[in-house]
Amino acid sequence: MNSQVTPRGMYLEHFGLRAAPFGITPDPLFFYPGNTRGELLAALLYAVLQGEGIIKLSGEVGSGKTMLCRMLAERLPPQVDVLYLLNPRLEPDEVLRAIGSELGLDMDGCRPDAVLRALHGELIARHAAGRSVVLLAEEAQGMPVDTLEAVRLLTNLETASHKLLQIVLFGQPELDRTLDLPQLRQLKERITHSFTMPRLPMALLPDYLACRLAAAGRASPLRFERGALRLLARASQGTVRRVNILADKALLAAYADDAQHVATRHLRLALADAPFHDGKPWYQGRVLAAALLLLAMLALAALLLWQAA
């Protein structure tokens, strides 16, 4: 199955959609508040507005961290200036310059100590104007240890009662292991709030799919066969990015089949076309296990008959 063969516009019209419901680009329009995601967003907002320490959110690849990051930026009040650190592999001096650039400062040719003074001065000025600043650092598991330490030192920029820069680290579980290193003990102690993105359980799959479809303009429920849901849950392993990829391909397969629901065969076609599929049928392991069990039972029966003879 090649998803490029089907015109996207006809696919949307077939299912009564205004937009593609299962894109993998984080779009706040498609935010799913279930599976504690709404609570996580509220907790992140509360932690940022408290303005103390460093906040950390970790989760597996494709679990929805970037979506939560975008939602956080969107929900913060207008007096909060949001900075993004999108390249985690910067050296300590480079990360300070990147933050300065986000603040609109020209730091070309400045020495590291001058960069830090300029950052401090700009943050003081924004605080005096009634504004606060939050740095959202994505893919933080990729930061070198020295860079993480430089980020920690930025939390020393403060007034008598307020931190001048609030930092939120978004990263994969490797970030947690990095923070366990002895040289990062001080950084770990500065983390006042730590959150984890949960996997999406099968029980919530219908709700998640319905939420995305409704956001895309679907006026009535779109049925996924129970077998399709089981296969989707097993193949995605609770990762919403995989759910989106497979659901999108399954809708294309259903459209090509002129169907108004998603059958198990459509999910099998989607899985065969998925970039993370290893080429083996999802049931292969179970069939092999069942065959081995049957052979063992036959061997045991033969042995019992031989002993009885």
Side-chain angles (χ1 to χ4, degrees):
M1 181 184 67
N2 189 336
S3 60
Q4 293 181 347
V5 172
T6 304
R8 179 67 58 153
M10 295 178 68
Y11 150 37
L12 301 181
E13 182 181 352
H14 180 77
F15 291 109
L17 301 166
R18 293 190 302 269
F22 299 111
I24 61 173
T25 301
D27 183 346
L29 175 67
F30 293 96
F31 177 66
Y32 174 61
N35 197 31
T36 75
R37 280 159 167 74
E39 291 87 343
L40 279 173
L41 176 58
L44 283 170
L45 281 167
Y46 171 81
V48 168
L49 295 176
Q50 288 299 300
E52 292 295 331
I54 299 173
I55 303 161
K56 175 181 67 69
L57 183 137
S58 60
E60 291 290 346
V61 176
S63 61
K65 299 183 297 298
T66 299
M67 173 70 87
L68 209 57
C69 179
R70 298 292 183 270
M71 289 298 299
L72 174 61
E74 187 176 84
R75 296 285 179 86
L76 285 168
Q79 71 271 19
V80 178
D81 296 327
V82 179
L83 314 180
Y84 289 99
L85 185 61
L86 301 178
N87 183 0
R89 301 192 181 278
L90 298 173
E91 294 300 318
D93 292 347
E94 295 173 329
V95 80
L96 295 181
R97 294 178 190 278
I99 294 169
S101 178
E102 283 283 298
L103 288 168
L105 302 175
D106 183 5
M107 296 182 171
D108 289 342
C110 293
R111 291 170 36 180
D113 57 336
V115 171
L116 191 57
R117 284 197 302 272
L119 285 178
H120 194 191
E122 178 64 22
L123 293 172
I124 285 283
R126 295 197 183 204
H127 177 73
R131 308 196 64 79
S132 57
V133 182
V134 59
L135 174 66
L136 306 180
E138 296 194 68
E139 303 296 342
Q141 79 282 346
M143 284 188 180
V145 171
D146 289 345
T147 301
L148 283 168
E149 178 62 11
V151 168
R152 178 191 71 83
L153 292 174
L154 290 176
T155 62
N156 292 333
L157 304 179
E158 58 189 0
T159 66
S161 57
H162 290 88
K163 297 288 184 184
L164 294 175
L165 181 65
Q166 183 73 2
I167 299 169
V168 187
L169 302 174
F170 294 86
Q172 296 168 21
E174 292 86 346
L175 175 61
D176 297 319
R177 294 193 284 273
T178 299
L179 292 173
D180 285 333
L181 294 173
Q183 58 266 46
L184 290 176
R185 180 169 55 89
Q186 292 188 73
L187 171 59
K188 189 172 182 179
E189 290 179 353
R190 294 284 182 95
I191 297 175
T192 55
H193 299 275
S194 184
F195 306 104
T196 302
M197 290 289 289
R199 292 181 180 271
L200 185 69
M202 181 178 173
L204 289 179
L205 257 181
D207 188 49
Y208 175 79
L209 297 170
C211 176
R212 301 277 305 205
L213 286 161
R218 176 78 180 185
S220 59
L222 177 61
R223 186 169 69 88
F224 281 69
E225 287 183 359
R226 189 165 184 80
L229 289 173
R230 285 198 298 266
L231 181 55
L232 181 56
R234 187 179 298 112
S236 66
Q237 299 179 335
T239 301
V240 293
R241 182 184 297 163
R242 288 190 173 192
V243 171
N244 290 346
I245 291 171
L246 291 171
D248 179 64
K249 291 178 180 295
L251 286 182
L252 287 171
Y255 165 73
D257 209 15
D258 197 27
Q260 283 294 331
H261 75 284
V262 177
T264 305
R265 67 179 179 276
H266 300 143
L267 250 300
R268 287 185 181 136
L269 287 169
L271 185 57
D273 192 48
F276 44 81
H277 181 45
D278 61 6
K280 299 177 182 179
W282 64 269
Y283 50 82
Q284 179 173 318
R286 288 190 175 185
V287 171
L288 179 60
L292 291 174
L293 179 60
L294 179 60
L295 287 174
M297 292 175 65
L298 289 173
L300 177 62
L303 176 62
L304 293 174
L305 287 173
W306 178 78
Q307 289 178 340

